[in-house]
Amino acid sequence: MLTTTKKILAAADRGGYAVGAFNTNNLEITKAIIEAAVEAKSPVIIQTSEGAIGYAGLGYLTAIIREAARAPVPVAMHLDHGKDPKTIRAAIRSGYTSVMVDASSLPFGKNVTETKKVVGWAHAKGISVEAEIGAISGVEDLVSVSEREAFFTDPEEAAEFVRLTGCDSLAISVGTAHGAFKSKIKPKLDIGRLAEIDRLVKIPLVLHGASGIPQGLVRRLDRECERLGDCGRLAGAVGIPDTEIRKAIRNGIRKINVDSDLRIAFTVGLRDTILDERSSFDPRRLMRRSGEEIRKTVSAKMLLFGSSGRA
Ligand code: G3H
Ligand code: 13P
Ligand code: ZN
């Protein structure tokens, strides 16, 4: 059932677990996410980026997610990385249960102003707002820990930001990065900093860029690569280890965003099908294994995050 993101995260806070927020772009991905949630009896957040909306259209995506939300588990519909005020307002009008305003690249004062504006629009409609402080994207290019730390969230600043904006959840930067190439060194989260943020900030904390980039799937992408002439397309790809994710949840993370792992799973399924079923030209058949790979990936996340069995 469509449930507010606020309720889903409040329950996670009480239970000491995290809820996965999975990015979708189409029918197949959405169906696979919801099937995994039903099987795991887990609450789930289905989110769309501005890129996804540009690709599929807001109307199609909301219709698909609403249909998915008829499932017997709590489902939230969330706008990921809202940067364009027009898209944020359209999402609020279209029945999203929460929106993210991402003004994290702006100076502190401007981030506060932009976030407050969105909080005003959203709260007037009973919708909650995720905001971001600290930089999550782009840090993968930085090698040394001190270089990376310059982008990390400052705990006191985070507390002040929440007080000034009235946002409902907060995305923070403690060592994750978007995409499949998260770090040139072994990814390790700044758990001390996270614990301090959790002590000072009383709203649910959100971890972006949290994909694990499973090496088993990365290896499967290379199947028959010599013949196809594209070996090692994800060579050097590194994700956040499960051990770090567990520590993050123990220290207050309540929403975990996953997109890259789903993209890899989808591509592995599609590629396997194309290699194994060469005579097929039926799109429904071609995308079936992609759905299965995504379902398995999402199920594993629900177990890892501790949300399985909480619905
Ligand atoms: O954090 C961003 C998500 O991975 C969405 O990516 O903007 O390419 O849809 P996208
Ligand atoms: P990944 O690239 O690690 O999957 O992160 C996705 C994300 O943060 C979406 O907002
Ligand atoms: Zn993100």
Side-chain angles (χ1 to χ4, degrees):
M1 63 295 289
L2 195 66
T3 308
T4 64
T5 312
K6 205 172 175 124
K7 251 194 201 163
I8 289 179
L9 294 184
D13 221 12
R14 286 193 300 274
Y17 59 92
V19 177
F22 302 98
N23 286 74
T24 190
N25 297 282
N26 65 14
L27 172 69
E28 285 72 20
I29 299 172
T30 312
K31 279 181 84 175
I33 295 169
I34 204 71
E35 279 165 21
V38 170
E39 201 176 76
K41 297 191 172 49
S42 169
V44 66
I45 298 166
I46 303 183
Q47 59 186 14
T48 63
S49 66
E50 290 183 346
I53 292 169
Y55 166 76
L58 190 62
Y60 281 114
L61 285 177
T62 52
I64 291 168
I65 299 170
R66 270 182 202 287
E67 182 61 25
R70 283 157 47 90
V73 292
V75 180
M77 176 159 58
H78 178 73
L79 174 71
D80 190 27
H81 291 284
K83 291 192 174 161
D84 178 357
K86 270 199 212 129
T87 310
I88 297 174
R89 295 195 84 142
I92 293 171
R93 272 198 310 273
S94 303
Y96 276 61
T97 58
S98 54
V99 292
M100 175 184 188
V101 49
D102 180 357
S104 60
S105 61
L106 301 177
F108 182 84
K110 286 215 163 113
N111 190 354
V112 168
T113 312
E114 288 307 302
T115 301
K116 259 176 91 167
K117 205 162 66 186
V118 172
V119 167
W121 300 336
H123 284 186
K125 300 265 181 204
I127 290 166
S128 55
V129 176
E130 174 183 328
E132 175 175 329
I133 184 154
I136 296 159
S137 55
V139 291
E140 63 267 39
D141 296 330
L142 307 173
V143 179
S144 78
V145 173
S146 59
E147 258 184 321
R148 292 168 66 92
E149 279 180 355
F151 292 88
F152 286 2
T153 303
D154 177 80
E156 310 243 321
E157 208 171 72
E160 178 69 353
F161 181 82
V162 170
R163 197 182 63 73
L164 291 172
T165 61
C167 65
D168 305 280
S169 59
L170 188 67
I172 55 166
S173 170
V174 289
T176 57
H178 289 108
F181 298 87
K182 299 200 183 291
S183 178
K184 292 188 178 124
I185 52 176
K186 193 171 181 242
K188 200 168 165 5
L189 303 187
D190 188 341
I191 296 294
R193 180 182 300 265
L194 168 59
E196 183 60 3
I197 298 171
D198 188 45
R199 193 177 71 77
L200 297 177
V201 172
K202 298 301 170 203
I203 58 174
L205 300 177
V206 182
L207 196 65
H208 283 243
S211 275
I213 317 296
Q215 294 302 305
L217 283 183
V218 168
R219 276 192 296 277
R220 278 177 61 195
L221 261 191
D222 264 350
R223 194 179 148 205
E224 292 197 35
C225 71
E226 272 170 25
R227 197 171 62 79
L228 298 170
D230 70 338
C231 291
R233 69 169 71 189
L234 282 182
V238 172
I240 307 299
D242 287 359
T243 46
E244 295 296 299
I245 296 289
R246 283 191 198 97
K247 281 189 237 166
I249 298 168
R250 280 201 298 276
N251 285 278
I253 291 293
R254 296 294 168 247
K255 171 176 178 277
I256 301 185
N257 286 14
V258 177
D259 187 7
S260 296
D261 283 354
L262 306 191
R263 293 178 181 202
I264 296 171
F266 188 97
T267 309
V268 165
L270 190 59
R271 197 171 163 126
D272 275 356
T273 310
I274 288 169
L275 288 168
D276 294 343
E277 301 178 30
R278 291 176 205 198
S279 60
S280 175
F281 57 93
D282 180 339
R284 294 166 298 189
R285 222 185 145 80
L286 288 172
M287 284 194 282
R288 200 176 54 200
R289 278 209 238 171
S290 291
E292 279 165 23
E293 291 298 337
I294 290 189
R295 190 181 49 71
K296 282 192 269 179
T297 302
V298 172
S299 296
K301 297 291 176 197
M302 288 170 166
L303 265 182
L304 174 64
F305 300 165
S307 68
S308 293
R310 307 282 188 164

